[in-house]
Amino acid sequence: IETVLKEENYRLVFAASGLEALSLLRQLRPDVVLMDVRMPDMDGITATQRLKALPQFAQLPVIMITGHSEKAVVVDSLRAGATGFLVKPFGRDTLITKLREALGAP
């Protein structure tokens, strides 16, 4: 993901855990978040719920990324406020298309 997005000139910031992601987001104003479902200390669904509960982030697009496509994971992600979903492995074009959709870009 990092290699593809750097080639497309996206500015990237990474967090190693759900708590670190929430802390970074309070300091930054990203245009979109790619959130892994499985992370240490807090899963991506919980992190998305907490993020979306903050008024300044209620409209922030969140694309969930996972290696598991169980229906419950997709449903829980969407209920948490995710705007998109990517199941690994996915290709470069799929990633770029999802990001452009989330950003409202052509």
Side-chain angles (χ1 to χ4, degrees):
I1 293 173
E2 180 178 8
T3 301
V4 169
L5 296 182
K6 281 187 174 180
E7 288 174 0
E8 293 290 320
N9 294 316
Y10 284 96
R11 287 184 303 137
L12 308 172
V13 176
F14 293 92
S17 69
L19 290 175
E20 183 182 355
L22 290 174
S23 177
L24 281 171
L25 288 168
R26 288 188 175 101
Q27 301 167 30
L28 306 171
R29 296 287 179 202
D31 295 320
V32 65
V33 171
L34 299 175
M35 182 79 72
D36 201 328
V37 171
R38 304 226 191 275
M39 296 186 291
D41 72 36
M42 178 189 309
D43 65 62
I45 295 169
T46 302
T48 299
Q49 288 171 327
R50 291 187 183 181
L51 174 69
K52 292 295 196 163
L54 301 169
Q56 67 267 36
F57 297 119
Q59 300 303 315
L60 178 64
V62 176
I63 300 170
M64 303 301 284
I65 298 176
T66 186
H68 307 281
S69 61
E70 294 96 18
K71 183 178 178 180
V73 173
V74 176
V75 169
D76 290 346
S77 295
L78 295 174
R79 283 188 183 149
T83 54
F85 205 87
L86 286 168
V87 177
K88 297 182 242 181
F90 49 83
R92 179 188 185 285
D93 292 341
T94 302
L95 174 61
I96 298 300
T97 298
K98 280 285 186 188
L99 273 174
R100 288 183 178 154
E101 287 172 359
L103 294 168

XYZ file of all heavy atoms in Angstrom:
813
model
N 0.842 -1.193 0.000
C 0.000 0.000 0.000
C 0.880 1.246 0.000
O 0.637 2.179 -0.765
C -0.961 0.000 1.213
C -1.975 -1.135 1.082
C -1.663 1.340 1.336
C -2.849 -1.329 2.290
N 1.895 1.251 0.859
C 2.772 2.414 0.946
C 3.437 2.715 -0.395
O 3.446 3.863 -0.843
C 3.840 2.192 2.021
C 4.796 3.353 2.168
C 5.821 3.131 3.265
O 5.903 2.017 3.825
O 6.540 4.088 3.576
N 3.971 1.697 -1.044
C 4.666 1.890 -2.317
C 3.721 2.458 -3.371
O 4.037 3.429 -4.055
C 5.263 0.553 -2.807
O 6.164 0.066 -1.812
C 5.998 0.724 -4.117
N 2.548 1.881 -3.488
C 1.570 2.334 -4.481
C 1.165 3.782 -4.231
O 1.150 4.603 -5.148
C 0.321 1.419 -4.477
C -0.814 2.024 -5.289
C 0.673 0.033 -4.992
N 0.855 4.102 -2.990
C 0.358 5.449 -2.700
C 1.442 6.513 -2.796
O 1.173 7.648 -3.189
C -0.329 5.474 -1.337
C -1.584 4.604 -1.255
C -2.230 4.729 0.106
C -2.566 4.930 -2.369
N 2.671 6.160 -2.470
C 3.770 7.117 -2.657
C 3.992 7.400 -4.136
O 4.254 8.535 -4.526
C 5.051 6.624 -1.992
C 5.056 6.849 -0.498
C 6.394 6.510 0.112
C 6.391 6.882 1.581
N 7.673 6.577 2.221
N 3.869 6.368 -4.963
C 4.002 6.554 -6.412
C 2.916 7.483 -6.954
O 3.124 8.169 -7.940
C 3.929 5.206 -7.136
C 5.156 4.351 -6.956
C 4.997 2.961 -7.554
O 3.922 2.631 -8.115
O 5.962 2.182 -7.454
N 1.764 7.496 -6.293
C 0.644 8.348 -6.702
C 0.694 9.715 -6.014
O -0.245 10.494 -6.121
C -0.677 7.650 -6.377
C -0.934 6.414 -7.199
C -1.216 6.729 -8.656
O -1.918 7.715 -8.944
O -0.719 5.971 -9.514
N 1.779 9.975 -5.289
C 2.000 11.260 -4.601
C 1.014 11.559 -3.468
O 0.710 12.707 -3.193
C 2.031 12.419 -5.602
C 3.220 12.313 -6.522
O 4.333 12.021 -6.087
N 2.992 12.510 -7.808
N 0.532 10.522 -2.810
C -0.269 10.721 -1.602
C 0.684 10.937 -0.438
O 1.728 10.302 -0.349
C -1.141 9.489 -1.307
C -2.348 9.361 -2.203
C -2.316 8.565 -3.342
C -3.523 10.035 -1.908
C -3.423 8.441 -4.166
C -4.641 9.914 -2.725
C -4.577 9.119 -3.849
O -5.673 8.998 -4.664
N 0.332 11.852 0.450
C 1.100 12.026 1.691
C 0.561 11.013 2.685
O -0.638 10.930 2.898
C 0.952 13.446 2.243
C 1.703 14.472 1.425
C 1.635 15.855 2.033
N 0.235 16.260 2.181
C -0.263 16.863 3.260
N 0.504 17.156 4.277
N -1.528 17.190 3.318
N 1.454 10.276 3.325
C 1.052 9.170 4.180
C 1.539 9.352 5.608
O 2.636 9.845 5.836
C 1.616 7.856 3.632
C 1.329 7.552 2.163
C 2.110 6.325 1.732
C -0.148 7.360 1.942
N 0.717 8.912 6.539
C 1.088 8.836 7.947
C 0.613 7.470 8.422
O -0.501 7.049 8.108
C 0.402 9.955 8.771
C 0.720 9.797 10.237
C 0.809 11.321 8.256
N 1.459 6.768 9.165
C 1.135 5.418 9.609
C 1.026 5.354 11.129
O 1.725 6.066 11.841
C 2.219 4.431 9.154
C 2.261 4.267 7.663
C 3.085 5.059 6.887
C 1.452 3.331 7.043
C 3.116 4.916 5.510
C 1.470 3.183 5.661
C 2.309 3.979 4.901
N 0.152 4.475 11.595
C 0.016 4.186 13.018
C 0.106 2.671 13.177
O -0.425 1.926 12.350
C -1.307 4.701 13.549
N 0.751 2.232 14.233
C 0.945 0.801 14.460
C -0.191 0.160 15.249
O -0.275 -1.059 15.342
C 2.269 0.570 15.187
N -1.075 0.981 15.810
C -2.166 0.438 16.620
C -3.370 1.377 16.551
O -3.266 2.515 16.086
C -1.715 0.294 18.081
O -1.552 1.575 18.661
N -4.486 0.894 17.038
C -5.697 1.707 17.065
C -5.545 2.942 17.942
O -5.956 4.045 17.566
N -4.933 2.779 19.104
C -4.746 3.924 20.005
C -3.809 4.958 19.394
O -4.052 6.163 19.485
C -4.223 3.459 21.365
C -5.228 2.683 22.216
C -4.555 2.166 23.484
C -6.425 3.554 22.562
N -2.750 4.489 18.743
C -1.832 5.422 18.094
C -2.538 6.154 16.954
O -2.335 7.355 16.760
C -0.606 4.681 17.565
C 0.421 5.613 16.935
C 1.620 4.884 16.351
O 1.745 3.655 16.501
O 2.448 5.578 15.737
N -3.378 5.448 16.211
C -4.119 6.074 15.117
C -5.014 7.194 15.643
O -5.030 8.305 15.096
C -4.955 5.032 14.378
N -5.749 6.939 16.715
C -6.633 7.971 17.277
C -5.830 9.162 17.778
O -6.243 10.315 17.608
C -7.493 7.380 18.391
C -8.560 6.390 17.929
C -9.257 5.765 19.126
C -9.556 7.045 16.992
N -4.689 8.904 18.385
C -3.839 9.985 18.866
C -3.323 10.832 17.705
O -3.370 12.063 17.757
C -2.664 9.401 19.660
O -1.800 10.419 20.077
N -2.844 10.186 16.654
C -2.349 10.912 15.481
C -3.456 11.718 14.811
O -3.230 12.847 14.366
C -1.751 9.940 14.460
C -0.346 9.438 14.732
C 0.006 8.328 13.749
C 0.653 10.570 14.624
N -4.638 11.138 14.728
C -5.740 11.820 14.058
C -6.153 13.095 14.785
O -6.630 14.033 14.160
C -6.930 10.881 13.902
C -6.717 9.797 12.850
C -7.795 8.733 12.942
C -6.685 10.409 11.463
N -5.959 13.119 16.066
C -6.288 14.341 16.816
C -5.303 15.462 16.500
O -5.618 16.633 16.671
C -6.316 14.035 18.308
C -7.535 13.217 18.688
C -7.683 13.082 20.197
N -8.915 12.392 20.518
C -8.988 11.107 20.858
N -7.903 10.373 20.929
N -10.152 10.560 21.146
N -4.112 15.102 16.039
C -3.088 16.092 15.705
C -3.125 16.475 14.231
O -2.688 17.555 13.855
C -1.695 15.539 16.029
C -1.499 15.167 17.480
C -0.238 14.344 17.680
O 0.726 14.494 16.957
N -0.257 13.463 18.672
N -3.611 15.583 13.391
C -3.602 15.786 11.944
C -5.016 15.955 11.426
O -5.975 15.627 12.098
C -2.964 14.570 11.253
C -1.583 14.164 11.731
C -1.198 12.831 11.125
C -0.566 15.230 11.360
N -5.140 16.418 10.224
C -6.441 16.529 9.566
C -6.372 15.788 8.230
O -6.261 16.402 7.179
C -6.799 17.998 9.326
C -6.981 18.798 10.569
C -8.268 18.414 11.235
N -8.427 19.181 12.465
C -9.192 18.808 13.439
N -9.870 17.699 13.347
N -9.301 19.532 14.517
N -6.440 14.464 8.260
C -6.327 13.707 7.013
C -7.572 13.876 6.141
O -8.644 14.254 6.623
C -6.198 12.262 7.494
C -6.926 12.253 8.797
C -6.674 13.611 9.411
N -7.403 13.581 4.871
C -8.517 13.620 3.934
C -9.250 12.288 3.887
O -10.426 12.228 3.533
C -8.010 13.966 2.532
C -7.425 15.359 2.477
O -7.985 16.271 3.103
O -6.391 15.529 1.805
N -8.535 11.216 4.234
C -9.108 9.868 4.240
C -8.259 9.000 5.163
O -7.074 9.264 5.360
C -9.164 9.278 2.801
C -7.775 9.071 2.245
C -9.980 8.005 2.750
N -8.884 7.969 5.722
C -8.179 7.020 6.594
C -8.332 5.621 6.019
O -9.441 5.207 5.670
C -8.757 7.052 8.030
C -8.176 5.926 8.877
C -8.518 8.398 8.681
N -7.215 4.915 5.908
C -7.224 3.490 5.604
C -7.026 2.779 6.934
O -5.986 2.927 7.569
C -6.096 3.125 4.638
C -6.143 3.791 3.271
C -4.897 3.434 2.468
C -7.386 3.394 2.520
N -8.032 2.039 7.378
C -8.022 1.448 8.713
C -8.017 -0.068 8.622
O -8.943 -0.661 8.064
C -9.270 1.906 9.474
C -9.375 1.406 10.887
S -8.365 2.315 12.062
C -9.256 3.858 12.165
N -6.969 -0.687 9.139
C -6.924 -2.149 9.180
C -7.902 -2.634 10.242
O -8.002 -2.043 11.318
C -5.501 -2.611 9.508
C -5.247 -4.041 9.078
O -6.196 -4.862 9.092
O -4.117 -4.341 8.715
N -8.615 -3.688 9.944
C -9.574 -4.230 10.904
C -8.849 -4.835 12.097
O -9.236 -4.615 13.246
C -10.508 -5.275 10.239
C -11.348 -5.995 11.272
C -11.391 -4.600 9.200
N -7.771 -5.559 11.851
C -7.047 -6.230 12.938
C -5.791 -5.444 13.284
O -4.880 -5.327 12.466
C -6.678 -7.640 12.513
C -7.881 -8.447 12.077
C -7.900 -9.816 12.677
N -8.895 -10.675 12.069
C -10.167 -10.709 12.430
N -10.604 -9.927 13.371
N -11.015 -11.529 11.842
N -5.782 -4.908 14.493
C -4.629 -4.153 14.998
C -4.424 -4.490 16.461
O -5.357 -4.914 17.136
C -4.877 -2.642 14.876
C -5.007 -2.135 13.472
S -5.125 -0.341 13.415
C -6.729 -0.061 14.147
N -3.211 -4.250 16.956
C -2.982 -4.465 18.383
C -3.746 -3.435 19.223
O -4.014 -2.351 18.750
C -1.475 -4.257 18.552
C -0.912 -3.972 17.219
C -2.026 -3.863 16.236
N -4.096 -3.775 20.393
C -4.721 -2.967 21.451
C -6.151 -2.527 21.183
O -6.918 -2.346 22.093
C -3.863 -1.766 21.874
C -3.773 -0.622 20.876
O -4.750 -0.318 20.187
O -2.694 -0.028 20.804
N -6.541 -2.339 19.941
C -7.908 -1.931 19.615
C -8.137 -2.267 18.146
O -7.351 -1.869 17.295
C -8.077 -0.424 19.828
C -9.443 0.094 19.458
S -9.549 1.916 19.467
C -8.882 2.341 21.055
N -9.203 -2.965 17.857
C -9.444 -3.307 16.452
C -9.900 -2.078 15.672
O -10.291 -1.065 16.245
C -10.436 -4.462 16.332
C -11.817 -4.102 16.832
O -12.446 -3.192 16.258
O -12.281 -4.740 17.791
N -9.831 -2.193 14.361
C -10.165 -1.069 13.498
C -11.623 -0.654 13.573
O -11.954 0.511 13.368
N -12.501 -1.599 13.861
C -13.920 -1.270 13.974
C -14.152 -0.377 15.183
O -14.820 0.657 15.097
C -14.777 -2.552 14.034
C -14.655 -3.304 12.696
C -16.227 -2.228 14.353
C -15.229 -4.696 12.694
N -13.568 -0.731 16.316
C -13.683 0.101 17.518
C -13.028 1.457 17.306
O -13.588 2.491 17.691
C -13.057 -0.615 18.734
O -13.711 -1.877 18.911
C -13.178 0.217 19.998
N -11.857 1.466 16.680
C -11.169 2.738 16.414
C -12.018 3.627 15.510
O -12.111 4.844 15.727
C -9.801 2.476 15.789
N -12.678 3.040 14.530
C -13.545 3.814 13.632
C -14.743 4.366 14.398
O -15.117 5.530 14.211
C -13.996 2.949 12.443
O -12.828 2.542 11.714
C -14.928 3.708 11.521
N -15.343 3.560 15.262
C -16.463 4.039 16.082
C -16.049 5.243 16.924
O -16.759 6.246 16.987
C -16.969 2.934 17.016
C -17.711 1.843 16.327
C -18.000 0.666 17.252
O -17.222 0.357 18.151
N -19.104 -0.006 17.002
N -14.896 5.148 17.561
C -14.409 6.247 18.401
C -14.095 7.484 17.570
O -14.381 8.605 17.981
C -13.189 5.806 19.199
C -13.539 4.801 20.262
C -12.369 4.506 21.145
N -12.718 3.490 22.121
C -11.893 3.054 23.044
N -10.655 3.536 23.115
N -12.272 2.142 23.898
N -13.504 7.261 16.414
C -13.182 8.365 15.519
C -14.452 9.074 15.055
O -14.556 10.305 15.122
C -12.414 7.816 14.312
C -12.096 8.784 13.188
C -11.073 9.800 13.655
C -11.574 8.028 11.983
N -15.432 8.318 14.620
C -16.677 8.886 14.098
C -17.519 9.554 15.182
O -18.384 10.372 14.879
C -17.496 7.798 13.394
C -16.848 7.294 12.120
C -16.787 8.397 11.093
C -16.517 7.874 9.716
N -16.841 8.830 8.682
N -17.267 9.217 16.446
C -17.992 9.843 17.549
C -17.525 11.277 17.794
O -18.222 12.057 18.451
C -17.828 9.023 18.823
N -16.366 11.637 17.257
C -15.845 12.993 17.399
C -16.408 13.853 16.272
O -16.242 13.527 15.100
C -14.315 12.990 17.357
C -13.635 12.136 18.428
C -12.149 12.000 18.123
C -13.865 12.758 19.792
N -17.092 14.954 16.604
C -17.748 15.766 15.575
C -16.835 16.191 14.423
O -17.257 16.191 13.268
C -18.256 16.988 16.348
C -18.383 16.520 17.756
C -17.312 15.486 17.945
N -15.589 16.509 14.718
C -14.687 16.973 13.658
C -14.308 15.861 12.672
O -13.792 16.135 11.597
C -13.433 17.643 14.234
C -12.508 16.718 14.981
C -12.768 16.655 16.472
O -13.896 16.719 16.926
N -11.702 16.525 17.246
N -14.586 14.611 13.035
C -14.253 13.490 12.163
C -15.480 12.722 11.675
O -15.344 11.694 11.019
C -13.292 12.527 12.862
C -11.972 13.140 13.191
C -11.546 13.232 14.511
C -11.158 13.646 12.201
C -10.328 13.808 14.826
C -9.943 14.232 12.496
C -9.523 14.313 13.816
N -16.653 13.203 11.982
C -17.877 12.484 11.627
C -17.996 12.250 10.120
O -18.524 11.229 9.689
C -19.098 13.236 12.151
N -17.503 13.181 9.315
C -17.615 13.060 7.856
C -16.339 12.537 7.191
O -16.279 12.424 5.972
C -17.986 14.416 7.248
C -19.302 14.968 7.748
C -20.465 14.010 7.506
O -20.596 13.453 6.430
N -21.277 13.792 8.525
N -15.317 12.235 7.973
C -14.049 11.751 7.432
C -14.231 10.357 6.826
O -14.682 9.444 7.505
C -13.001 11.697 8.547
C -11.613 11.171 8.177
C -10.931 12.093 7.164
C -10.756 11.041 9.432
N -13.880 10.184 5.536
C -14.014 8.856 4.941
C -13.015 7.870 5.557
O -11.840 8.184 5.716
C -13.676 9.080 3.465
C -13.669 10.541 3.235
C -13.434 11.182 4.568
N -13.518 6.695 5.898
C -12.694 5.619 6.444
C -12.893 4.394 5.571
O -14.022 3.930 5.395
C -13.065 5.296 7.908
C -12.257 4.107 8.418
C -12.874 6.506 8.804
N -11.793 3.887 5.020
C -11.823 2.668 4.222
C -11.198 1.560 5.066
O -10.041 1.653 5.465
C -11.050 2.840 2.901
C -11.665 3.966 2.065
C -11.028 1.526 2.122
C -10.842 4.358 0.862
N -11.972 0.542 5.340
C -11.498 -0.581 6.133
C -10.727 -1.550 5.239
O -11.115 -1.782 4.092
C -12.666 -1.319 6.781
C -13.557 -0.459 7.655
S -12.702 0.321 9.031
C -12.527 -1.077 10.128
N -9.652 -2.100 5.792
C -8.833 -3.067 5.069
C -8.719 -4.325 5.933
O -8.432 -4.236 7.121
C -7.429 -2.496 4.791
C -7.555 -1.252 3.915
C -6.542 -3.548 4.139
C -6.244 -0.556 3.664
N -8.961 -5.475 5.308
C -8.892 -6.717 6.055
C -8.559 -7.884 5.142
O -8.751 -7.805 3.939
C -10.225 -7.001 6.790
O -10.063 -8.144 7.622
C -11.362 -7.220 5.824
N -8.083 -8.931 5.735
C -7.866 -10.179 5.023
C -9.038 -11.118 5.197
O -9.048 -12.219 4.684
N -10.050 -10.674 5.932
C -11.223 -11.502 6.228
C -12.468 -10.828 5.668
O -12.755 -9.690 5.997
C -11.374 -11.693 7.737
C -10.123 -12.212 8.368
N -9.767 -13.529 8.312
C -9.121 -11.588 9.025
C -8.603 -13.691 8.928
N -8.196 -12.521 9.370
N -13.190 -11.550 4.850
C -14.364 -10.954 4.213
C -15.671 -11.484 4.787
O -16.693 -11.461 4.120
C -14.316 -11.195 2.703
O -14.319 -12.581 2.422
N -15.643 -11.940 6.035
C -16.876 -12.427 6.632
C -17.904 -11.310 6.649
O -17.584 -10.145 6.885
C -16.648 -12.906 8.077
C -15.768 -14.113 8.193
C -14.330 -13.711 8.470
O -14.085 -12.583 8.882
O -13.444 -14.545 8.230
N -19.147 -11.695 6.424
C -20.232 -10.714 6.366
C -20.294 -9.868 7.638
O -20.500 -8.661 7.576
C -21.569 -11.425 6.130
C -22.725 -10.472 5.978
C -24.016 -11.216 5.692
C -25.161 -10.228 5.591
N -26.421 -10.907 5.324
N -20.102 -10.481 8.798
C -20.184 -9.759 10.066
C -19.140 -8.646 10.147
O -19.421 -7.562 10.665
C -20.021 -10.713 11.245
N -17.936 -8.891 9.625
C -16.883 -7.866 9.648
C -17.276 -6.684 8.766
O -17.126 -5.528 9.152
C -15.526 -8.456 9.195
C -14.471 -7.382 9.046
C -15.057 -9.525 10.171
N -17.816 -6.979 7.598
C -18.257 -5.918 6.689
C -19.395 -5.125 7.323
O -19.367 -3.886 7.359
C -18.687 -6.500 5.322
C -19.246 -5.411 4.424
C -17.524 -7.214 4.649
N -20.392 -5.804 7.843
C -21.551 -5.140 8.455
C -21.112 -4.298 9.652
O -21.507 -3.134 9.781
C -22.629 -6.178 8.862
C -23.706 -5.547 9.721
C -23.241 -6.805 7.615
N -20.277 -4.862 10.525
C -19.814 -4.122 11.699
C -18.994 -2.897 11.296
O -19.092 -1.842 11.920
C -18.989 -5.019 12.625
C -19.837 -6.063 13.328
O -21.083 -5.950 13.325
O -19.245 -7.013 13.889
N -18.200 -3.029 10.249
C -17.399 -1.901 9.766
C -18.295 -0.778 9.261
O -18.073 0.401 9.569
C -16.462 -2.351 8.643
O -15.516 -3.269 9.120
N -19.298 -1.133 8.484
C -20.213 -0.114 7.957
C -21.026 0.530 9.074
O -21.237 1.749 9.072
C -21.116 -0.729 6.891
C -20.386 -1.206 5.631
C -21.344 -1.942 4.691
C -19.704 -0.050 4.915
N -21.445 -0.261 10.037
C -22.174 0.298 11.196
C -21.292 1.251 12.000
O -21.781 2.213 12.578
C -22.671 -0.818 12.102
C -23.882 -1.515 11.572
C -24.446 -2.481 12.587
N -25.575 -3.190 12.013
C -25.924 -4.419 12.310
N -25.232 -5.104 13.207
N -26.955 -4.986 11.742
N -19.995 0.979 12.035
C -19.057 1.836 12.770
C -18.827 3.162 12.056
O -18.331 4.105 12.656
C -17.729 1.111 12.968
N -19.202 3.214 10.773
C -19.050 4.456 10.034
C -18.104 4.389 8.850
O -17.834 5.404 8.210
N -17.601 3.204 8.537
C -16.714 3.071 7.380
C -17.478 3.407 6.108
O -18.665 3.118 5.982
C -16.162 1.651 7.301
N -16.777 4.021 5.175
C -17.391 4.397 3.909
C -17.004 3.460 2.777
O -17.568 3.533 1.693
C -17.009 5.837 3.524
O -15.585 5.938 3.539
C -17.584 6.830 4.493
N -16.023 2.593 3.032
C -15.576 1.660 2.016
C -14.901 0.474 2.652
O -14.646 0.458 3.858
N -14.594 -0.520 1.830
C -14.054 -1.765 2.347
C -13.158 -2.391 1.289
O -13.540 -2.462 0.125
C -15.222 -2.710 2.670
C -14.914 -3.721 3.709
C -15.078 -3.427 5.045
C -14.446 -4.979 3.367
C -14.794 -4.360 6.025
C -14.151 -5.922 4.332
C -14.334 -5.612 5.662
N -11.965 -2.822 1.676
C -11.045 -3.535 0.791
C -10.647 -4.846 1.451
O -10.262 -4.860 2.619
C -9.783 -2.704 0.536
C -9.917 -1.509 -0.389
C -8.670 -0.626 -0.301
C -10.137 -1.971 -1.817
N -10.734 -5.936 0.708
C -10.341 -7.247 1.210
C -9.014 -7.625 0.559
O -8.889 -7.604 -0.660
C -11.414 -8.310 0.911
C -10.950 -9.686 1.390
C -12.738 -7.938 1.550
N -8.014 -7.925 1.410
C -6.701 -8.342 0.917
C -6.773 -9.754 0.364
O -7.520 -10.570 0.911
C -5.680 -8.320 2.058
C -5.424 -6.978 2.662
C -4.363 -7.095 3.735
C -4.905 -6.701 5.079
N -3.926 -6.770 6.157
N -6.044 -10.054 -0.665
C -5.186 -9.143 -1.415
C -6.009 -8.351 -2.434
O -6.994 -8.852 -2.961
C -4.208 -10.072 -2.132
C -4.988 -11.337 -2.331
C -5.925 -11.438 -1.145
N -5.628 -7.132 -2.673
C -6.292 -6.314 -3.686
C -5.209 -5.674 -4.548
O -4.070 -5.537 -4.144
C -7.196 -5.248 -3.065
C -6.551 -4.448 -1.983
C -5.750 -3.356 -2.285
C -6.732 -4.795 -0.652
C -5.145 -2.621 -1.280
C -6.140 -4.052 0.363
C -5.340 -2.964 0.042
N -5.596 -5.293 -5.723
C -4.652 -4.732 -6.673
C -4.513 -3.236 -6.565
O -5.306 -2.555 -5.899
N -3.506 -2.734 -7.220
C -3.209 -1.297 -7.247
C -4.412 -0.487 -7.724
O -4.789 0.505 -7.114
C -2.005 -1.076 -8.163
C -1.592 0.341 -8.326
C -0.516 0.453 -9.426
N -0.021 1.790 -9.526
C -0.687 2.793 -10.088
N -1.875 2.584 -10.597
N -0.176 4.003 -10.120
N -5.012 -0.914 -8.836
C -6.134 -0.164 -9.405
C -7.330 -0.116 -8.451
O -8.006 0.901 -8.343
C -6.554 -0.759 -10.749
C -5.497 -0.554 -11.826
O -4.624 0.330 -11.663
O -5.541 -1.274 -12.842
N -7.581 -1.212 -7.766
C -8.683 -1.252 -6.801
C -8.441 -0.265 -5.670
O -9.342 0.475 -5.275
C -8.848 -2.682 -6.238
O -9.090 -3.574 -7.327
C -9.982 -2.754 -5.241
N -7.222 -0.230 -5.157
C -6.870 0.701 -4.082
C -7.042 2.151 -4.533
O -7.680 2.948 -3.841
C -5.431 0.451 -3.623
C -4.860 1.432 -2.606
C -5.659 1.421 -1.312
C -3.386 1.108 -2.337
N -6.509 2.482 -5.686
C -6.586 3.855 -6.188
C -8.037 4.245 -6.439
O -8.465 5.354 -6.102
C -5.740 4.018 -7.484
C -4.270 3.732 -7.192
C -5.935 5.391 -8.094
C -3.641 4.622 -6.161
N -8.822 3.348 -7.005
C -10.239 3.643 -7.257
C -10.987 3.911 -5.963
O -11.748 4.879 -5.870
C -10.897 2.463 -8.021
O -10.247 2.315 -9.278
C -12.381 2.704 -8.236
N -10.764 3.082 -4.939
C -11.436 3.283 -3.645
C -11.047 4.621 -3.025
O -11.894 5.336 -2.482
C -11.079 2.166 -2.669
C -11.850 0.912 -2.871
C -13.263 1.043 -2.372
C -13.947 -0.294 -2.479
N -15.359 -0.220 -2.190
N -9.772 4.965 -3.101
C -9.328 6.244 -2.552
C -9.952 7.413 -3.297
O -10.425 8.381 -2.681
C -7.803 6.357 -2.618
C -7.052 5.794 -1.448
C -5.561 5.842 -1.693
C -7.393 6.520 -0.169
N -9.971 7.349 -4.596
C -10.558 8.436 -5.390
C -12.034 8.578 -5.097
O -12.556 9.693 -5.012
C -10.302 8.212 -6.874
C -8.849 8.454 -7.236
C -8.589 8.319 -8.709
N -7.192 8.621 -8.987
C -6.512 8.170 -10.004
N -7.096 7.379 -10.894
N -5.252 8.492 -10.179
N -12.735 7.473 -4.953
C -14.154 7.522 -4.607
C -14.340 8.183 -3.241
O -15.223 9.036 -3.072
C -14.745 6.114 -4.580
C -14.934 5.482 -5.929
C -15.343 4.011 -5.833
O -15.470 3.469 -4.711
O -15.514 3.393 -6.903
N -13.539 7.792 -2.274
C -13.655 8.341 -0.925
C -13.359 9.840 -0.896
O -13.956 10.589 -0.128
C -12.713 7.613 0.027
N -12.447 10.273 -1.755
C -12.060 11.674 -1.804
C -12.949 12.499 -2.745
O -12.793 13.712 -2.834
C -10.596 11.799 -2.245
C -9.565 11.229 -1.263
C -8.207 11.134 -1.920
C -9.526 12.093 -0.008
N -13.848 11.823 -3.441
C -14.723 12.526 -4.379
C -13.980 13.011 -5.616
O -14.393 13.957 -6.264
N -12.887 12.339 -5.944
C -12.083 12.715 -7.108
C -12.505 11.886 -8.314
O -12.969 10.764 -8.149
C -10.599 12.494 -6.826
N -12.339 12.428 -9.531
C -12.702 11.692 -10.742
C -11.769 10.528 -11.017
O -10.704 10.423 -10.562
C -12.610 12.729 -11.853
C -11.803 13.848 -11.308
C -11.854 13.742 -9.817
